[in-house]
Amino acid sequence: MTGSESRSGDGSFGGYGGQYVPEALMPAIEELTDAYERYVLGNEDGFLDEFRRRLRDFGGRPTPLQRAERLSERYDTEVYLKREDLVHGGAHKLNNALGQVLLAKYMGKERIVAETGAGQHGTATAMAAAHLGMPCEVYMGERDINRQRPNVFRMKLNDAEVTPVTTGRGTLKEAISETMRDWASNVEDTHYVIGSVVGPHPFPSMVRDFQAVISEEARAQVREGAGGLPDAVLACAGGGSNTMGAFHRFVGDDGVDMYAVEAGGSSLDVDEAAGVAPNSASLSIGSEGVLHGARTKLLQDRHGQIVESHSISSGLDYAGVGPELAHLVDEGRVTPVSVDDDAALEAFHRLSQEEGIIPALETAHAFGYLHEHHADLGGVVIVNVSGRGDKDLESVIEETAERDVPNAPDMSVFEGGL
Amino acid sequence: MSDGDLSSAFADGPAFVPYLAVGDPDYESSLTHVEALERGGADAIELGLPFSEPIAEGPTIQEAVVRSLEAGMTPDRFFEFVADLDVDVPLVCMTYYNLVYQYGTEQGPRPFVERAAEVGLSGFVVPDLPAEEAGPLRAACDEFGLDLIAIVAPTTDEDRLEKLVSVSSGYLYVQARLGVTGAQASVSGQTAASIDRLSDVDLPKAVGFGISSGEQAATVVEAGADGVIVGSALVDIVAEGVENDDPTGAVADRLESLAAELSAGAERGFEQRAPEPEGESE
């Protein structure tokens, strides 16, 4: 049996999952579990109806499942794109952020905190909080603030407070720890809108349920558009919310292969002595451990210290992954694969040129995998376009200028940056 | 190596339980620091084994963790450290669950607890292990005769308290206020209420989070605590030593002197306590 079949339960996915948090947070976790079961699973007070209405009217759902004409021709494969980049805010992140902020409102909470890596989750949470009239504070690593300035400004435009995190390397891992500290200090009136299918139960199940709208729509759309189920679904995997969202409704369809495309960074090796993994491929090369409230697959050294991860895409730059995804990989239901920084950047330019879609750098990893392995994926493939790439343009200019990207435009004009 | 029984710390009056991150800023200095705490009157000592993601700690201890890890601290070095220590009070290991879980060749807490017992540790505080997840560590502690100390938070209700007490031994770590560790200018008003509602629990109650002076220690013990736990105020002294490029000599003296102030404060608070109603002891 796969973990995805259990809708709530105790948050255990074949030994992964659990609730490894300070005691001060446990009453809030119990309260949240109760709220999740009543409102999300039980639709009490019409919560789900309101969530779906707001996803439609504010969020712009359903998103299209578009046949990619040039890619289909290039790869001799029917390639369909699930266009989460067209969700309000430009990424799938709004599905979860809207769900959680709305739930916080139903629970009578007065304040929202969130963490963000690439800024997409922070942006989505800030938007949802502004939409629903809740004050919001977003923690973001200092390094990510420098990599993702447009999103920082968008959060501020939506009246969120953005607090830089300077500990460690200043990326998502540190931002999550800092948000947990804030939550532990203000737990009585504050809800932590966690950004992925990670953290203590009920977050992994709840975030998956909010994101499952992706595969729910895609499954119906592909049957209508292609006359049947796909042979494969590809989604990039950082923490795993976009991945679980794209996979959830296909888990029971044995004929559909699912590929979680991780950030291979510059190498899949880990330098234990330096405490560094030059990748973010926790499903591919990680080992079981406990981080940020859950037992899951992690990038860690042999002592259990978490090592620093890396990706060209800050949205994938995290040393852990959702426990359900770890379980689906162990079960053989999901195949973990990886694409390195260079291939992702090449795919970024290719999709922009050939389909007129500028993808997030996260998404570009999935297209990098499609490019290299299309011949093995079957006749009908869905790629989840997790978000749009506007936020990444500064990084892409910098990274493209530093590398020899064969399909990049002439970069000389951008020498001073944007 | 130390003497093992935690109950000895609470046997004669209030217990003063200091904390330091082991290996901060380096192994040798840290040995000197911990030994100074005993000279200052520590009745038991909490030894922090640094984890890279200390989510329950404030900035002071977070920075100590970074210094220690950068100086090469590992679980094996930690156990070596405990074996090298020349102190006679019970020692408690404070760390996060991933380090306990990963130690040794089989995953799970047993090898870590076995090694802890060998070097003479008396028990564990694991801040990210609530009662719900404590089963395997509790079982290993029972097997090797060590204590597992639970943290009781201001948000802990009656039902949770029962669950916590059922997996705890040694003492209860009573968190004086919400939030993360860190020295505070005044003791939280929640403290007395927190101690009051634990009066029926048959374990010593040691209060921590925010205590930094003898006066605060006195207030907490006067309010009924059986012990005080002090971390960040002591770690601050180590941090100052690092800033002033003097990691050992004067630092050990200052640690000893603050420890003596805190220990005396706890005693004073005990003497100032209103006479106990019949039937209550500790």
Side-chain angles (χ1 to χ4, degrees):
Chain A
M1 163 180 150
T2 61
S4 295
E5 286 162 15
S6 118
R7 289 270 296 160
S8 167
D10 60 356
S12 168
F13 301 102
Y16 295 113
Q19 298 176 313
Y20 296 85
V21 293
E23 166 61 24
L25 291 177
M26 281 305 291
I29 298 266
E30 286 177 341
E31 185 190 353
L32 182 63
T33 306
D34 180 57
Y36 165 58
E37 286 170 359
R38 283 167 47 204
Y39 297 119
V40 183
L41 299 184
N43 194 24
E44 193 172 310
D45 298 342
F47 172 86
L48 277 182
D49 305 323
E50 181 173 354
F51 173 53
R52 298 216 168 226
R53 175 177 64 75
R54 288 183 187 274
L55 268 184
R56 186 188 68 218
D57 298 346
F58 178 67
R61 299 209 74 94
T63 59
L65 183 76
Q66 178 208 343
R67 182 175 176 275
E69 289 169 16
R70 292 213 170 52
L71 293 185
S72 295
E73 198 176 317
R74 175 194 267 270
Y75 300 137
D76 194 20
T77 299
E78 290 296 298
V79 179
Y80 286 89
L81 311 180
K82 182 57 178 163
R83 297 290 307 276
E84 291 301 292
D85 58 317
L86 295 178
V87 176
H88 176 50
H92 70 290
K93 293 289 185 184
L94 186 74
N95 305 329
N96 169 45
L98 188 61
Q100 284 201 51
V101 176
L102 186 64
L103 186 65
K105 228 178 154 68
Y106 273 61
M107 290 167 71
K109 298 288 175 183
E110 289 163 11
R111 173 175 175 260
I112 295 295
V113 290
E115 90 297 318
T116 197
Q120 281 304 84
H121 173 60
T123 301
T125 306
M127 282 173 172
H131 173 63
L132 291 163
M134 296 270 272
C136 172
E137 180 167 359
V138 180
Y139 290 89
M140 187 169 186
E142 206 168 39
R143 179 182 153 90
D144 286 340
I145 285 181
N146 292 329
R147 289 200 279 186
Q148 300 290 346
R149 290 190 306 164
N151 267 340
V152 175
F153 190 56
R154 288 209 290 173
M155 286 181 252
K156 292 191 177 193
L157 285 173
N158 285 131
D159 209 23
E161 199 176 322
V162 180
T163 305
V165 177
T166 55
T167 51
R169 209 166 52 99
T171 58
L172 181 58
K173 168 168 80 69
E174 290 80 15
I176 292 180
S177 294
E178 202 56 41
T179 316
M180 285 203 163
R181 292 187 184 102
D182 179 311
W183 195 28
S185 308
N186 303 291
V187 63
E188 284 160 325
D189 66 353
T190 297
H191 175 69
Y192 174 12
V193 178
I194 212 162
S196 192
V197 287
V198 301
H201 175 69
F203 282 110
S205 301
M206 182 173 72
V207 176
R208 174 205 65 205
D209 289 349
F210 288 143
Q211 293 292 1
V213 64
I214 302 173
S215 47
E216 185 181 306
E217 289 175 5
R219 195 170 183 279
Q221 288 164 328
V222 74
R223 291 176 83 166
E224 197 183 316
L229 292 175
D231 295 297
V233 181
L234 269 61
C236 58
S241 73
N242 146 76
T243 326
M244 281 311 306
F247 291 174
H248 185 57
R249 302 288 179 192
F250 292 109
V251 168
D253 299 321
D254 292 340
V256 179
D257 295 333
M258 299 184 287
Y259 295 87
V261 187
E262 297 195 287
S266 56
S267 159
L268 279 187
D269 294 332
V270 178
D271 183 349
E272 272 215 8
V276 172
N279 60 70
S280 303
S282 41
L283 284 172
S284 304
I285 63 160
S287 58
E288 190 181 329
V290 174
L291 176 66
H292 292 144
R295 187 186 298 190
T296 186
K297 285 185 191 283
L298 306 174
L299 297 174
Q300 58 186 331
D301 68 17
R302 66 184 189 290
H303 305 297
Q305 305 290 359
I306 308 308
V307 301
E308 300 292 351
S309 57
H310 160 80
S311 169
I312 192 173
S313 160
S314 40
L316 299 180
D317 194 351
Y318 180 56
V321 68
E324 183 172 10
L325 203 45
H327 173 58
L328 290 171
V329 164
D330 278 6
E331 294 274 287
R333 188 66 193 90
V334 167
T335 307
V337 294
S338 64
V339 161
D340 68 19
D341 288 345
D342 290 344
L345 201 53
E346 211 178 305
F348 176 94
H349 288 293
R350 187 179 306 108
L351 196 70
S352 304
Q353 289 155 6
E354 298 190 5
E355 292 292 342
I357 295 170
I358 299 173
L361 273 173
E362 293 91 323
T363 308
H365 286 74
F367 284 98
Y369 190 77
L370 176 72
H371 184 68
E372 289 168 26
H373 298 276
H374 57 87
D376 309 323
L377 296 174
V380 180
V381 176
I382 294 178
V383 184
N384 193 33
V385 183
S386 60
R388 68 177 191 225
D390 310 40
K391 69 185 173 67
D392 293 319
L393 294 185
E394 284 196 50
S395 298
V396 168
I397 288 171
E398 198 179 300
E399 298 282 350
T400 304
E402 278 174 14
R403 292 156 203 259
D404 184 18
V405 183
N407 58 349
D410 175 11
M411 298 300 291
S412 58
V413 65
F414 299 114
E415 263 166 15
L418 268 185
Chain B
M1 292 274 287
S2 76
D3 161 20
D5 192 356
L6 268 178
S7 63
S8 67
F10 297 87
D12 310 308
F16 163 55
V17 186
Y19 164 98
L20 280 178
V22 161
D24 168 30
D26 60 75
Y27 190 95
E28 292 300 327
S29 311
S30 190
L31 274 176
T32 318
H33 296 163
V34 174
E35 287 166 6
L37 295 177
E38 191 200 25
R39 288 197 301 278
D43 298 294
I45 302 174
E46 288 184 358
L47 299 172
L49 164 57
F51 176 50
S52 54
E53 319 301 320
I55 57 170
E57 317 294 352
T60 302
I61 293 178
Q62 232 182 306
E63 283 161 23
V65 162
V66 171
R67 287 192 296 268
S68 170
L69 288 174
E70 279 178 355
M73 184 47 60
T74 65
D76 277 323
R77 285 288 276 166
F78 174 83
F79 289 130
E80 228 175 277
F81 182 96
V82 176
D84 281 351
L85 269 180
D86 184 15
V87 296
D88 284 326
V89 295
L91 300 171
V92 170
C93 168
M94 182 156 182
T95 194
Y96 288 77
Y97 193 57
N98 199 42
L99 299 189
V100 176
Y101 184 75
Q102 295 299 335
Y103 189 78
T105 48
E106 59 180 278
Q107 280 184 321
R110 194 178 178 279
F112 190 90
V113 177
E114 183 174 18
R115 183 76 186 115
E118 277 168 19
V119 296
L121 281 161
S122 301
F124 303 98
V125 180
V126 186
D128 62 343
L129 199 69
E132 282 75 359
E133 306 289 354
L137 182 56
R138 177 73 259 176
C141 284
D142 288 343
E143 183 182 347
F144 293 101
L146 271 70
D147 287 311
L148 179 57
I149 295 130
I151 298 178
V152 181
T155 46
T156 304
D157 62 16
E158 288 303 311
D159 289 348
R160 295 204 52 77
L161 184 60
E162 218 167 281
K163 257 191 234 177
L164 284 180
V165 170
S166 73
V167 297
S168 310
S169 59
Y171 54 92
L172 286 181
Y173 187 137
V174 182
Q175 188 179 326
R177 57 175 167 77
L178 276 178
V180 292
T181 57
Q184 302 281 309
S186 62
V187 177
S188 160
Q190 282 169 325
T191 307
S194 299
I195 299 165
D196 262 2
R197 71 196 185 98
L198 297 172
S199 56
D200 290 342
V201 178
D202 193 21
L203 279 171
K205 295 103 199 163
V207 175
F209 275 51
I211 298 167
S212 62
S213 69
E215 202 174 316
Q216 290 171 340
T219 308
V220 168
V221 172
E222 195 180 348
D226 302 303
V228 289
I229 301 168
V230 180
S232 297
L234 296 162
V235 174
D236 273 335
I237 293 177
V238 178
E240 260 174 59
V242 173
E243 270 166 40
N244 301 333
D245 208 16
D246 174 22
T248 42
V251 173
D253 292 344
R254 293 180 58 214
L255 285 169
E256 181 178 339
S257 118
L258 179 56
E261 179 197 324
L262 290 160
S263 169
E267 292 294 342
R268 200 165 61 243
F270 191 66
E271 285 155 17
Q272 286 164 358
R273 225 187 254 184
E276 285 174 10
E278 274 198 32
E280 206 174 304
S281 65
E282 278 314 328

